[in-house]
Amino acid sequence: MDFSLLGPISVTTGAGELALGPAKRSSVLALLLLQPNTTVPLEQLIDSLWEEEPPEHARTVVQGHVSRLRATLARGGAEAYGIELATHGSAYLLRLPEELIDAHRFAELVALARPEAAPADAVPLLREALGLWRGPALTGTVTSPPFAAAAHALEEQRLAATEALARAHGALGEHEQAAAILYTAAVNNPLREGMVAELMRALFRTGRQSDAMEWFHRTRRLLDEELGVGPGARLKGAYEEILRAEEAGAGRGGADSGTGRGGGAAGAAGGAGRAAQGAEREAGAADPRRTTAADPRVPAQGGRGPTGGAPGRTTGPPAVPRLLPRPPARFLGREQQLAALTTVVQSAVPGESPLAVVTGPAGVGKTACAVQWSHAYAGAFPDGQLFADLRGFNEGAAAEPVEILRDFLLALGTPPDRVPTSAQSASALFRSLVAERRLLVVLDNAQSSAQVRPLLPGGAHCATVVTSRSRLDGLVATDVARPVPVQALGAAEGTALLGAMLGAERVADDPDAAQELVALCDGLPLALRAAAAQLTARPRWRLARLAAALRDERRRLALLSAEDTGVAAALRMSVARLSADDARLLSALAANADGHLNASVAAALAGADPEVIQEGLDRLTEMHLVDEEATDVYTISTLTQLFARDEGPAGGSSGGPEGKPGGGSGNS
């Protein structure tokens, strides 16, 4: 049995990963794992689980989560591993061998490594330690200060291990490897002066002194702009060390440059003259805000920036990708949403890359809205438009970020053999290439915030539009994403869409039936287009005839389908991403006759604890399978009710994005 804190919170056995349940339950486990074999007071758990004032029944909620965790661990065979979740008065103790926790193994491996004294032994130890990380630490826990502080502490340990690995490679004379390791970490932590200083030294020791100096000046500007301070001692020390080494090399007239020997920056200066020409070919400036690639592993691809800046070291203009799909046919309305997208881009804080998240239920037309706006404003992004379907709600697995990044880098002109194979390196290179471009990135059908983050451009001139069935609250919290909700069409808008699809005269001949069709389709454009397809195939039918057929709830979902397109297929992909518990809750809610209910009614229908039901309702609301019209007033649409009744609790058990069961999104 293995416990993971260095990424999404998880427990894995030989039979697979255990289903932990909601975020608060994962958070309880995480807090106990952060203090293994130590009693954790109940009050500490309560303080950590609720960012604001905890509810009166907080003790009962925590006790319930502990009880369910104990049962989950028992089902996974905890006793055989020497694991026990015990109660000690008003405190809890998770007794287990600490080597089962990835964070403990990570710390032990780092402690064993001695990068300066025994670099050859340190390299495999540190690589094994860093290989334990599967994403940001404590992913899936609640967003409270105690968990944020714990995640930050773990992240600091990871960065320290990264720097130690680079020092070990440097001690072995493997400066290219050191620069490659430090590059991505420095891009993601641009104000970490010690890391930038070590990257400068590593670049200089490979003969790339201009890149090293570029990193210094870039970091100096960032420190001044964002913190209002100058470079610290470590950064200035690296800068002065390189200057002295360059002056010493120039004073010798290059007499020693052929040997390439000597330790530290001074030794590297002797080989700088010989290496300079190769370095010019090998890479561009180390500033990710320029279009030339600063990654030590990748040749420069850049060219002019959006403001007409000087070209990088390249032999041709940069590639200008045009990857948007064709505009949606017969697109109508959505003026409010289109205006909101424009506002997100135009009102962005200077220096920030605007990010909009177009959200709404399956079939509401999120993709159409995003693509329509993107074509209308493509001229504002002369350096290209990128588009990717993240397949968050398609058949099969969602797209991996590294797969999308490869497509983006190829579209931007990166040679195939120069595309990094890891998502982290590919993401860093992508941000570097687009940093000074005016580029639009459209990420459709996103499953989770974690899937989106590696695909975000870093340049202030870039804009990103994401579509999702989930609210993607994580992007709102960490990346200041601006939500653009898309609702179902009203009677007038829905009738206009039918007129655009069928012809205004045919709709005008039967206006009452047209309005009834809009109501029977819940105002969903996907359903209305499927209904229009049925009528187009039957030109002699009046609208009233289809409306009469749709009144039969047993046939409605089948009639609102056209080959591979339909409401049932879209909803099926939503429900498939739910945990089994949330799918059962949705099925129970569908039994409510009028589709209106509160948490108490939902708990009665599901026969479950109100606290657990509230969390389930929150997840279903986040997924737009349920709407919260007012505080504790929930509605479920007729089509969703029909689907949930027909299909039953068919949800999976893998959980949703970022450790929250039931998360996800889709393109509709």
Side-chain angles (χ1 to χ4, degrees):
M1 184 173 284
D2 290 309
F3 296 85
S4 296
L5 297 173
L6 307 180
I9 305 300
S10 66
V11 182
T12 307
T13 69
E17 187 172 324
L18 300 181
L20 296 178
K24 280 191 172 63
R25 195 172 305 156
S26 295
S27 301
V28 170
L29 176 62
L31 199 59
L32 295 171
L33 289 171
L34 287 167
Q35 304 172 73
N37 301 308
T38 304
T39 54
V40 180
L42 177 61
E43 292 304 319
Q44 183 183 350
L45 286 164
I46 292 173
D47 290 342
S48 300
L49 290 179
W50 281 274
E51 189 168 1
E52 299 177 352
E53 187 70 22
E56 293 182 2
H57 58 287
R59 297 174 67 90
T60 304
V61 173
V62 173
Q63 290 165 354
H65 285 312
V66 170
S67 176
R68 290 178 177 85
L69 276 176
R70 187 180 287 121
T72 298
L73 294 175
R75 286 196 300 271
E79 185 178 357
Y81 294 92
I83 299 168
E84 179 188 9
L85 178 49
T87 302
H88 289 266
S90 60
Y92 298 101
L93 169 68
L94 182 57
R95 187 177 291 112
L96 78 168
E98 294 186 11
E99 60 269 18
L100 299 180
I101 307 172
D102 60 355
H104 177 80
R105 296 199 301 276
F106 170 80
E108 280 197 331
L109 289 166
V110 172
L112 289 171
R114 296 181 296 157
E116 286 81 12
D121 295 331
V123 167
L125 289 170
L126 291 167
R127 286 197 176 279
E128 182 180 352
L130 291 167
L132 294 172
W133 285 75
R134 300 174 298 110
L138 305 183
T139 296
T141 57
V142 297
T143 56
S144 66
F147 282 106
H152 177 73
L154 289 169
E155 176 64 14
E156 284 294 313
Q157 294 176 34
R158 185 184 70 82
L159 292 175
T162 301
E163 293 173 338
L165 178 58
R167 291 199 305 275
H169 278 296
L172 295 171
E174 299 168 347
H175 303 300
E176 288 284 0
Q177 290 93 323
I181 289 165
L182 291 167
Y183 171 78
T184 299
V187 167
N188 291 325
N189 299 272
L191 298 179
R192 193 177 178 91
E193 294 183 62
M195 180 171 285
V196 175
E198 291 305 315
L199 175 59
M200 288 170 57
R201 291 187 176 96
L203 288 169
F204 183 72
R205 288 164 184 163
T206 64
R208 298 173 59 186
Q209 55 270 40
S210 62
D211 289 348
M213 297 307 236
E214 192 72 42
W215 268 98
F216 172 80
H217 292 300
R218 168 189 178 273
T219 307
R220 176 180 54 79
R221 289 193 300 271
L222 282 175
L223 288 167
D224 179 58
E225 293 169 1
E226 299 191 16
L227 302 179
V229 299
R234 294 183 68 180
L235 196 60
K236 287 194 294 186
Y239 178 71
E240 292 165 359
E241 183 181 329
I242 292 170
L243 284 180
R244 287 195 300 270
E246 284 189 318
E247 291 171 0
R252 290 193 298 271
D256 299 330
S257 64
T259 65
R261 297 171 183 168
R274 174 175 54 81
Q277 186 176 5
E280 286 283 75
R281 291 194 304 268
E282 186 179 346
D287 187 348
R289 295 188 177 187
R290 299 171 57 145
T291 55
T292 49
D295 190 332
R297 299 155 292 188
V298 183
Q301 302 296 331
R304 64 171 179 82
T307 56
R313 294 186 288 270
T314 183
T315 58
V320 180
R322 309 288 188 194
L323 302 188
L324 291 177
R326 67 191 186 97
R330 311 289 170 88
F331 183 88
L332 294 175
R334 301 302 192 193
E335 287 83 2
Q336 183 179 352
Q337 286 75 23
L338 297 174
L341 285 169
T342 303
T343 299
V344 170
V345 173
Q346 293 180 345
S347 63
V349 174
E352 287 188 359
S353 177
L355 170 60
V357 179
V358 181
T359 65
V364 81
K366 301 178 294 295
T367 300
C369 184
V371 172
Q372 177 73 12
W373 181 88
S374 298
H375 277 284
Y377 283 86
F381 303 98
D383 293 312
Q385 303 90 42
L386 297 172
F387 179 93
D389 178 5
L390 303 189
R391 305 198 301 272
F393 275 82
N394 291 12
E395 294 283 355
E400 292 293 334
V402 69
E403 170 191 346
I404 303 301
L405 286 166
R406 177 176 177 80
D407 291 343
F408 282 0
L409 291 172
L410 292 174
L412 290 165
T414 306
D417 61 338
R418 296 293 188 176
V419 175
T421 55
S422 75
Q424 191 176 34
S425 298
S427 178
L429 176 57
F430 171 60
R431 291 193 301 273
S432 175
L433 290 179
V434 305
E436 287 294 344
R437 298 192 187 193
R438 285 197 178 102
L439 190 80
L440 175 63
V441 180
V442 182
L443 303 173
D444 186 39
N445 195 7
Q447 182 179 22
S448 66
S449 298
Q451 185 189 28
V452 169
R453 287 192 185 100
L455 308 176
L456 296 177
H461 304 291
C462 297
T464 307
V465 177
V466 181
T467 74
S468 179
R469 293 182 197 180
S470 170
R471 292 196 308 255
L472 299 187
D473 292 340
L475 286 183
V476 176
T478 62
D479 298 273
V480 201
R482 300 301 181 191
V484 179
V486 181
Q487 295 87 15
L489 298 175
E493 293 174 312
T495 301
L497 177 58
L498 287 174
M501 298 289 292
L502 299 169
E505 291 183 0
R506 191 173 181 186
V507 172
D509 286 343
D510 214 347
D512 292 339
Q515 292 200 19
E516 185 180 4
L517 283 175
V518 174
L520 290 167
C521 291
D522 283 343
L524 291 178
L526 179 64
L528 287 166
R529 288 176 179 269
Q534 295 281 4
L535 290 166
T536 300
R538 300 166 177 83
R540 296 183 180 179
W541 275 28
R542 289 176 57 83
L543 273 61
R545 182 169 178 179
L546 179 60
L550 290 174
R551 290 186 205 118
D552 184 350
E553 293 185 346
R554 296 168 300 177
R555 301 179 59 202
R556 190 178 305 173
L557 287 174
L559 288 169
L560 295 179
S561 299
E563 289 192 298
D564 59 346
T565 300
V567 177
L571 287 170
R572 187 171 295 111
M573 292 300 98
S574 286
V575 175
R577 293 293 192 265
L578 296 178
S579 68
D581 288 343
D582 287 349
R584 281 191 290 270
L585 174 58
L586 181 67
S587 183
L589 299 182
N592 193 49
D594 65 357
H596 287 72
L597 66 162
N598 57 27
S600 298
V601 173
L605 289 170
D609 180 76
E611 174 73 19
V612 175
I613 289 302
Q614 183 62 64
E615 293 182 349
L617 284 171
D618 291 343
R619 287 191 296 272
L620 293 177
T621 302
E622 182 184 353
M623 286 283 296
H624 294 97
L625 287 166
V626 168
D627 288 327
E628 187 174 14
E629 287 189 344
T631 302
D632 200 27
V633 178
Y634 298 90
T635 63
I636 179 171
S637 72
T638 303
L639 292 178
T640 304
Q641 279 185 293
L642 295 178
F643 178 83
R645 291 172 189 168
D646 291 345
E647 297 284 331
S653 58
S654 60
E658 302 182 345
K660 297 179 180 179
S665 61
N667 64 346
S668 50

